[in-house]
Amino acid sequence: MDLFVNSDAATLSPVGLFLQADWVVKMVMLGLLAASIWSWAIIIGFGRNLGRMARRSAQYEADFWKAQDIDRFHDANGRVDLPAARVLDAGVREWRRSTNGKRVDREGIRSRLHMTMAAAIGAEIDKLSGRLTFLATIGSVAPFVGLFGTVWGIMRAFTGIAAEKSSSIAVVAPGIAEALFATAIGLFAAIPAVIAYNRFSHSLDRLEARLGRFADGFHATLSRELDAEA
């Protein structure tokens, strides 16, 4: 009797459910597990990079506002691999191009500076958010892929019932269990992806707002310099 119970327990274990599943359900499970591993790699890697970027950006902005000479700071730090540095570089380049001529259109310069730095901010956020597309896809698609495996497994279970001409729990349980296991794997892949996507999206919104404040401050500094040259 003990051996029979242990055998059933082994059959209904995750490994046992996978091994006894139909090949279609196995493919669904393997695909979802691969997607889960990939999403966790993105979550860990992107989270670490975003945190490191936030710390370096804060230090970069603090150093910029302490600098006495913007041109000298830009020449020394304008190529740093940070969104704030690229926004600064876009603003300085536009400033130099716009003030290089004999005739200076102050309002035109202000408008072009604003558009140039806003475009640089948009490009930085688009580049970062593009890495989250996979998380959004897994979060929305994985439950339905798991549901497909569940439906297929239940169909197979009913086929087994018809073949055995019995609807006892011993006949139904393995097929139903492997079907529900596919749904569980789908949720296991989707839930962390959705949570991480929402969290990272909020972090990117905060980064965009921070870059916007940095660009506004830089724009105001250059605008005052224009007024001083009037």
Side-chain angles (χ1 to χ4, degrees), residues 174-190:
I176 298 298
E178 75 181 47
L180 295 176
F181 187 49
T183 298
I185 296 177
L187 294 175
F188 177 78

Side-chain angles (χ1 to χ4, degrees), residues 34-205:
S36 178
I37 293 171
W38 193 359
S39 66
W40 272 109
I42 293 175
I43 290 169
I44 295 172
F46 190 82
R48 292 178 62 183
N49 290 339
L50 199 61
R52 184 165 55 247
M53 182 188 300
R55 292 189 296 271
R56 291 180 61 204
S57 294
Q59 185 61 51
Y60 183 89
E61 292 177 26
D63 292 342
F64 171 77
W65 294 119
K66 293 177 183 176
Q68 300 297 321
D69 190 322
I70 293 177
D71 286 325
R72 183 178 299 174
F73 181 88
H74 171 262
D75 292 339
N77 303 283
R79 302 295 182 182
V80 176
D81 186 19
L82 285 174
R86 285 185 280 273
V87 172
L88 173 67
D89 182 61
V92 170
R93 287 177 180 274
E94 180 57 39
W95 168 264
R96 290 174 177 175
R97 285 193 297 266
S98 297
T99 57
N100 195 32
K102 295 180 180 179
R103 182 177 178 275
V104 176
D105 179 8
R106 291 177 176 79
E107 291 306 316
I109 291 174
R110 289 187 177 96
S111 178
R112 286 192 296 272
L113 284 171
H114 175 75
M115 289 188 294
T116 299
M117 289 191 287
I121 292 172
E124 292 299 317
I125 298 301
D126 286 345
K127 183 169 63 177
L128 290 171
S129 61
R131 303 177 187 178
L132 302 183
T133 304
F134 182 78
L135 294 181
T137 302
I138 291 300
S140 59
V141 172
F144 294 101
V145 175
L147 183 61
F148 169 76
T150 298
V151 172
W152 187 274
I154 290 175
M155 290 171 57
R156 182 168 173 265
F158 279 119
T159 302
I161 291 172
E164 294 290 336
K165 296 181 179 179
S166 173
S167 59
S168 66
I169 191 66
V171 175
V172 176
I176 298 298
E178 75 181 47
L180 295 176
F181 187 49
T183 298
I185 296 177
L187 294 175
F188 177 78
I191 291 174
V194 171
I195 293 173
Y197 178 80
N198 291 334
R199 178 60 181 171
F200 290 150
S201 295
H202 176 67
S203 298
L204 289 181
D205 288 341

Side-chain angles (χ1 to χ4, degrees), residues 3-13:
L3 291 176
F4 178 75
V5 173
N6 291 338
S7 176
D8 283 349
T11 301
L12 296 179
S13 68

